[in-house]
Structures are given as structure tokens and as C-alpha cells.
């Protein structure tokens, strides 16, 4: 758990360095309503867990950091970060690794308290170990910009 928190802080610092706005003005962006930490699963020792952190980038884009762990018995972990254009609470992340035929393509659907992520067209070649996928309904645990 402590390792996860440290990783999240390091990634957030990296992501915020790539952001096109300062934290003060980020609060004024239209996408700031999506900002926060979302997760599913409570105990990696017993179940699969996942976390996604959302940070406003522009009025129409967000930055995200995703991490998941399969839990028992293999405890495989995957992580990814990227940028998504969001329109009317929905966005699609799309990227392709240079050595693969299929890419990594996720649909983001935001509501007040959740973000639903679905893999589109079976395109989950994101460089993850077997058993890792971003798919899930993540509940908001922390609302607002995480520093």
C-alpha cells in the first residue's frame, strides 16, 4: 500500500509536469469536474484492485494514471498514463505500441461518482502482463486535483 502511494505521488508529479496549465488555473478548467482518485477493490491480498487518477489538462482534455494488480495468486501489476479528449463526459484513449498489430483503446465514461472504463474492439495490447486490463467501474475516492 505504501509502495502504491509513493508510486502515485511520483507519477502525479510527472504528469503535472507535462500539464499545460498550473494547478491554480487547472481548477478553473471545464475538465476539473472529473479530477480525483477513483478505484475498485479494497485489499490486494484478497482481490483484484485498480486505481485511476484524473488530472485536468485543458478545457477538453484530461491526463490519467492507471494502475491495477491481479491480486492472489500471481499479484501481476500493470500501469499506464496518457491523455484523453473528453466531450460530454465521454472520451476515448487510443495508442499503439510499435511492435503490435492491435493497439490499446479504452472508452472513458464519467458520472458524478464514477468513471467506467471499457476496452474497445478487444484492443487491450497496452504492454500489460496477462490478466491486467483497465476495464471496470471505478468509484471516486477523492474529489478534486491531487497534489
Amino acid at each position: 500500500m505504501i509502495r502504491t502511494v509513493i508510486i502515485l505521488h511520483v507519477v502525479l508529479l510527472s504528469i503535472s509536469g507535462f500539464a499545460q496549465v498550473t494547478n491554480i488555473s487547472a481548477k478553473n478548467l471545464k475538465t476539473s469536474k472529473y479530477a480525483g482518485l477513483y478505484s475498485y477493490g479494497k485489499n490486494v491480498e484478497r482481490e483484484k484492485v485498480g486505481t485511476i487518477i484524473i488530472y485536468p489538462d485543458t478545457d477538453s482534455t484530461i491526463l490519467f494514471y492507471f494502475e491495477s494488480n491481479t491480486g492472489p495468486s500471481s499479484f501481476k501489476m500493470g500501469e499506464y498514463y496518457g491523455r484523453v479528449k473528453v466531450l460530454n463526459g465521454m472520451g476515448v484513449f487510443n495508442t499503439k505500441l510499435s511492435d503490435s498489430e492491435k493497439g490499446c483503446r479504452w472508452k472513458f465514461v464519467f458520472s458524478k461518482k464514477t468513471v467506467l472504463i471499457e476496452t474497445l474492439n478487444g484492443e487491450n495490447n497496452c504492454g500489460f502482463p496477462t490478466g491486467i486490463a483497465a476495464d471496470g467501474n471505478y468509484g471516486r475516492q477523492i474529489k478534486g486535483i491531487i497534489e
Side-chain angles (χ1 to χ4, degrees):
M1 182 67 173
I2 291 174
R3 180 178 178 266
T4 299
V5 171
I6 291 170
I7 290 171
L8 292 175
H9 284 290
V10 169
V11 170
L12 282 174
L13 288 173
S14 299
I15 288 175
S16 63
F18 288 112
Q20 297 175 4
V21 295
T22 65
N23 194 19
I24 295 169
S25 61
K27 293 176 183 177
N28 299 323
L29 295 172
K30 292 178 184 177
T31 54
S32 67
K33 63 185 170 188
Y34 307 120
L37 183 141
Y38 301 75
S39 67
Y40 68 86
K42 299 286 182 196
N43 186 339
V44 72
E45 298 294 326
R46 296 186 179 147
E47 62 187 331
K48 183 176 178 178
V49 296
T51 301
I52 188 158
I53 298 172
I54 304 294
Y55 187 90
D57 182 38
T58 69
D59 273 335
S60 62
T61 61
I62 57 156
L63 300 173
F64 72 88
Y65 169 74
F66 156 80
E67 138 180 314
S68 182
N69 189 303
T70 60
S73 63
S74 65
F75 294 98
K76 293 180 184 175
M77 185 175 168
E79 60 185 347
Y80 213 96
Y81 67 91
R83 177 178 283 127
V84 177
K85 183 174 183 174
V86 178
L87 181 62
N88 298 322
M90 293 187 0
V92 174
F93 172 71
N94 190 17
T95 190
K96 190 173 183 181
L97 300 174
S98 61
D99 61 343
S100 70
E101 289 182 30
K102 282 190 171 185
C104 181
R105 189 170 181 183
W106 303 335
K107 177 176 159 182
F108 287 68
V109 180
F110 289 93
S111 69
K112 281 189 172 189
K113 296 184 179 182
T114 65
V115 60
L116 173 67
I117 301 178
E118 297 177 323
T119 297
L120 296 175
N121 303 323
E123 294 186 50
N124 194 31
N125 191 354
C126 309
F128 299 145
T130 303
I132 296 290
D135 298 63
N137 197 21
Y138 298 72
R140 183 179 270 174
Q141 306 302 313
I142 300 173
K143 182 177 180 177
I145 296 170
I146 298 173
E147 299 178 13

